[in-house]
Amino acid sequence: MIASLGLILLCQLIGEIAVRESGLPIPGPVIGLLLLFMLLLGRDRLAILRRGPLHSGGVETAANGMLAHLSLLFVPAGVGVVQQLDLVTDHGIGIFVILVLSAVVTLVVTSLAFVATSRLLARRRRAE
Amino acid sequence: MTANPFSLWVYLSQTPLLWLTVTLLVYAAADAASLATHRHPLANPVLHSVWIIGLILLLTGTPYARYFDGAQFVHFLLGPATVALAVPLYENRKTVLSAVVPMVVALVAGSITAIVSIVLLAELIGLPRDVVLSLASKSVTAGVAMGVSQSLGVNPSVTAIAVVLTGIMGAIIVTPLMNSMRITDYRARGFAVGLASHGIGTARAFQVDTVAGVFAGVAMSLNALLTSLIVPLLVSVLVR
């Protein structure tokens, strides 16, 4: 458990360092995500990686446990927003309306683009 | 025992313990309510935890900085949780790999739509230029969105508020919207909510379906990257 958490933190740490040094516009944890993903893939090929948290589901249990309560982690930032709502309500409640509209349009366009492309590909594959 | 209950309160309110406990307990209650309603969209645990804790802070006159002393331990886990997304991604890698083309198309279409729609709507209702620019990156995770706003020279606090509001609203809207559109593909549903509503949308997707959660996580990460690259470009065309 501790070793698994340590491995996750280590991946993030390396990601943060890489982002700081390179100036890439990506959050450090996303680099950490890629790193852990590559470690998991590497483990399937290299016996040397198959130990500690990368052995018998250690890091999997820790990660899935954390993700089961992903919602909790947004609460502190969310509370900060409630306290500063006047920053946006100063400009009228119109902001709420346009944020909802933009979210709806984005959800519709994204999901339709996904579904349409995957249907088109499936049809072409069947035609071949 | 402390003789004076007020001095006990003064002591407790200064330690991180009190507000960390409040955060966990309020969330546990909100999550239990969400489970009891079979994850009804309106029983969103983030939404209800946030307003209940906000109300408690207001009633006790507690400044946010003091609350955050306790809550920071939870907030800190956002980074490690992002890294942890590697595990479901790895476990579902075949499903993800087989959908690379739909993901790229949906990413480009969705990312541009998110930015263009909010900028045009904000200009339509006559918001001042600096607010329009602050809203442009509202669909991506707060850290990246605030960075984009800083590079545009506008107030990142307004951006942070828009980001959280977009996250909560998207997480509430997505299920009824997708049901009414009869989209049953959990890959598409997850990808859309991760792209439009970053981590809060991804958290919602994981509540509903693991595959949806994985696609939401991928969409969130890719959109953070794409948005930070194209916002400066798009706003220079759209905003005068």
Side-chain angles (χ1 to χ4, degrees):
Chain A
M1 182 66 190
I2 298 298
S4 301
L5 276 177
L7 178 67
I8 291 172
L9 290 181
L10 179 66
C11 289
Q12 186 187 352
L13 181 65
I14 295 172
E16 302 282 8
I17 293 170
V19 167
R20 249 193 112 78
E21 293 300 308
S22 67
L24 282 170
I26 318 172
V30 173
I31 307 277
L33 187 167
L34 293 175
L35 202 61
L36 181 58
F37 183 70
M38 287 189 286
L39 278 174
L40 288 164
L41 284 179
R43 168 191 73 176
D44 297 339
R45 316 237 154 111
L46 305 168
I48 192 166
L49 285 173
R50 231 170 285 146
R51 61 185 71 215
L54 286 171
H55 182 67
S56 67
V59 77
E60 281 93 334
T61 311
N64 287 327
M66 212 183 288
L67 290 174
H69 288 289
L70 192 55
S71 299
L72 165 66
L73 314 187
F74 293 99
V75 172
V79 173
V81 164
V82 172
Q83 298 230 315
Q84 287 195 305
L85 268 185
D86 53 326
L87 266 182
V88 296
T89 49
D90 283 351
H91 300 287
I93 55 162
I95 286 193
F96 292 94
V97 179
I98 63 171
L99 284 174
V100 173
L101 286 177
S102 173
V104 169
V105 174
T106 307
L107 286 167
V108 169
V109 169
T110 312
S111 56
L112 286 182
F114 191 108
V115 170
T117 314
S118 81
R119 273 191 200 147
L120 202 70
L121 287 177
R123 204 171 300 156
R124 193 175 299 169
R125 220 168 287 147
R126 244 177 282 135
E128 273 167 13
Chain B
M1 272 307 284
T2 317
N4 183 346
F6 183 70
S7 69
L8 175 65
W9 164 250
V10 169
Y11 163 71
L12 277 181
S13 66
Q14 302 288 350
T15 73
L17 175 66
L18 176 68
W19 295 113
L20 181 58
T21 311
V22 168
T23 304
L24 293 182
L25 289 184
V26 170
Y27 171 78
D31 190 52
S34 163
L35 258 182
T37 58
H38 307 286
R39 300 287 180 204
H40 191 279
L42 282 175
N44 186 287
V46 183
L47 172 68
H48 295 293
S49 302
V50 160
W51 75 258
I52 293 169
I53 295 172
L55 192 65
I56 295 173
L57 295 184
L58 188 71
L59 294 177
T60 57
T62 307
Y64 181 68
R66 190 170 299 155
Y67 166 75
F68 197 77
D69 280 343
Q72 62 175 322
F73 302 105
V74 170
H75 182 75
F76 167 76
L77 289 172
L78 277 174
T82 307
V83 177
L85 286 170
V87 167
L89 180 63
Y90 165 79
E91 287 168 343
N92 295 281
R93 61 190 180 282
K94 292 207 177 87
T95 319
V96 174
L97 268 180
S98 68
V100 166
V101 179
M103 285 197 299
V104 171
V105 174
L107 169 69
V108 175
S111 190
I112 293 174
T113 305
I115 301 163
V116 172
S117 63
I118 195 65
V119 168
L120 293 183
L121 285 164
E123 291 202 313
L124 190 71
I125 65 167
L127 291 175
R129 185 176 180 277
D130 59 320
V131 179
V132 176
L133 293 178
S134 308
L135 297 179
S137 53
K138 50 81 194 170
S139 273
V140 298
T141 192
V144 174
M146 291 169 79
V148 171
S149 287
Q150 264 157 356
S151 70
L152 293 174
V154 292
N155 189 354
S157 301
V158 175
T159 307
I161 297 166
V163 166
V164 174
L165 289 176
T166 295
I168 293 176
M169 290 165 176
I172 293 173
I173 297 166
V174 63
T175 303
L177 180 67
M178 294 294 135
N179 286 346
S180 74
M181 289 168 65
R182 291 166 208 258
I183 291 178
T184 50
D185 186 341
Y186 274 114
R187 301 173 307 167
R189 292 169 71 126
F191 198 86
V193 79
L195 186 139
S197 295
H198 50 91
I200 302 180
T202 303
R204 167 67 190 173
F206 269 111
Q207 283 183 346
V208 175
D209 183 87
T210 309
V211 168
V214 170
F215 277 81
V218 172
M220 169 179 78
S221 307
L222 294 177
N223 195 29
L225 183 63
L226 187 60
T227 297
S228 62
L229 295 175
I230 64 175
V231 160
L233 201 76
L234 286 176
V235 296
S236 69
V237 179
L238 293 167
V239 185
R240 272 138 282 129

